[in-house]
Amino acid sequence: MHLRFVSWNVNGLRACMEKGFPETFATMNADFFCLQETKLQPEQIALDLPGYRQYWCSAEKKGYSGTAIFAKHEPLSVTYGVGTEELDHEGRMITLEYPGFYLVTCYTPNAQDGLKRLDFRLKWDEAFRNRLCDLAMVKPVIACGDLNVAHQEIDLKNPGPNRGNAGFSDEERQSFTTLLQAGFTDTFRWLNPDKTGAYSWWSYRFNARKNNAGWRIDYFLVSDSLQPQIQAADIHSEVFGSDHCPVRLELNMEV
């Protein structure tokens, strides 16, 4: 069996609906379509997606953050949040359990200008890593989302000037390394170890997208045990509608 997963930070789903989301959703025909930064409560949108079950995790603060998963397959269980009270007010994580794996979507907090939210961000990273490791002790994990970090210099256009900035601080990069070392594979980089110019987010300023001055901060991670099942891991930079583009993973496995 072949399973297709898509992840997209839509930077406001209502706005993205006007910029081609329904067409992109239909074209990609994913088994699982994960969203970050939905910026809404479920009752604020009427989304008709025949054949899909909808799972929403919204921030308590209106118009902020939020995640969703649209799934063709009914899960055994659904969990919202990372499981730490102080971190779970912003709608940042959903976990679906299936017989063969856990699927997690995550919208990692941004460390913000001057790294003023770095402490909160690193607390999130630790809780997220612990949660994934706990799940992985039960069955393999597929985790996706906007993880708000460019891991290596190859993962952004201008590493030099950005070193120490949010998303490319030494602390965030090390935290991501620690996550991978805990038993997870960055699927895109595993298949494309030397590919340059592959980005998933571009600033709206300075014609960044036109000039492909971007960052790769949207990921699909899998438990290392799933490496043999990875069929494809792609970045759909041709898709517009947000300052991020969708990323896709194909696995040869059963639900």
Side-chain angles (χ1 to χ4, degrees), residues 11-42:
N11 191 16
L13 181 55
R14 284 172 293 180
C16 195
M17 289 294 290
E18 308 296 317
K19 301 175 187 173
F21 177 84
E23 293 79 6
T24 298
F25 182 86
T27 301
M28 292 203 152
N29 188 30
D31 292 281
F32 303 93
F33 205 110
C34 303
L35 303 186
Q36 304 85 44
E37 214 171 351
T38 52
K39 295 185 178 177
L40 52 75
Q41 316 302 120

Side-chain angles (χ1 to χ4, degrees), residues 137-185:
M137 290 173 69
V138 181
K139 61 184 83 173
V141 172
I142 300 156
C144 68
D146 173 4
L147 303 187
N148 255 320
V149 62
H151 185 211
Q152 306 289 2
E153 292 196 352
I154 195 174
D155 294 314
L156 71 168
K157 179 70 176 282
N158 297 304
N162 280 297
R163 183 158 179 203
N165 288 344
F168 199 60
S169 67
D170 292 352
E171 295 92 337
E172 291 167 290
R173 294 171 65 195
Q174 179 56 51
S175 182
F176 191 78
T177 297
T178 302
L179 173 57
L180 296 181
Q181 288 173 341
F184 299 96
T185 298

Side-chain angles (χ1 to χ4, degrees), residues 8-210:
W8 193 8
N9 178 323
V10 290
N11 191 16
L13 181 55
R14 284 172 293 180
C16 195
M17 289 294 290
E18 308 296 317
K19 301 175 187 173
F21 177 84
E23 293 79 6
T24 298
F25 182 86
T27 301
M28 292 203 152
N29 188 30
D31 292 281
F32 303 93
F33 205 110
C34 303
L35 303 186
Q36 304 85 44
E37 214 171 351
T38 52
K39 295 185 178 177
L40 52 75
Q41 316 302 120
E43 62 272 13
Q44 292 179 290
I45 193 168
L47 204 56
D48 184 27
L49 303 173
Y52 288 85
R53 293 166 174 84
Q54 302 183 25
Y55 303 95
W56 300 85
C57 187
S58 299
E60 292 173 10
K61 179 180 172 184
K62 295 282 178 70
Y64 178 71
S65 187
T67 48
I69 301 179
F70 309 137
K72 283 185 179 176
H73 309 273
E74 186 173 4
L76 300 175
S77 69
V78 186
T79 310
Y80 299 98
V82 76
T84 302
E85 209 285 327
E86 66 171 313
L87 301 174
D88 277 341
H89 298 277
E90 296 179 351
R92 294 189 176 274
M93 183 168 156
I94 303 173
T95 304
L96 303 187
E97 180 188 4
Y98 289 92
F101 59 88
Y102 289 102
L103 172 62
V104 176
T105 196
C106 173
Y107 177 40
T108 299
N110 191 306
Q112 299 186 349
D113 289 344
L115 302 181
K116 62 177 181 276
R117 216 182 184 205
L118 181 62
D119 286 351
F120 183 85
R121 155 63 186 256
L122 293 175
K123 275 185 189 168
W124 173 272
D125 280 1
E126 182 179 14
F128 181 61
R129 182 174 67 248
N130 290 341
R131 177 78 176 132
L132 292 193
C133 288
D134 287 347
L135 294 173
M137 290 173 69
V138 181
K139 61 184 83 173
V141 172
I142 300 156
C144 68
D146 173 4
L147 303 187
N148 255 320
V149 62
H151 185 211
Q152 306 289 2
E153 292 196 352
I154 195 174
D155 294 314
L156 71 168
K157 179 70 176 282
N158 297 304
N162 280 297
R163 183 158 179 203
N165 288 344
F168 199 60
S169 67
D170 292 352
E171 295 92 337
E172 291 167 290
R173 294 171 65 195
Q174 179 56 51
S175 182
F176 191 78
T177 297
T178 302
L179 173 57
L180 296 181
Q181 288 173 341
F184 299 96
T185 298
D186 172 354
T187 57
F188 179 83
R189 198 49 78 197
W190 189 72
L191 290 181
N192 305 279
D194 305 311
K195 189 176 177 84
T196 58
Y199 309 126
S200 65
W201 173 79
W202 303 262
S203 169
Y204 280 132
R205 297 179 293 171
F206 316 122
N207 287 320
R209 190 149 188 180
K210 184 179 172 188

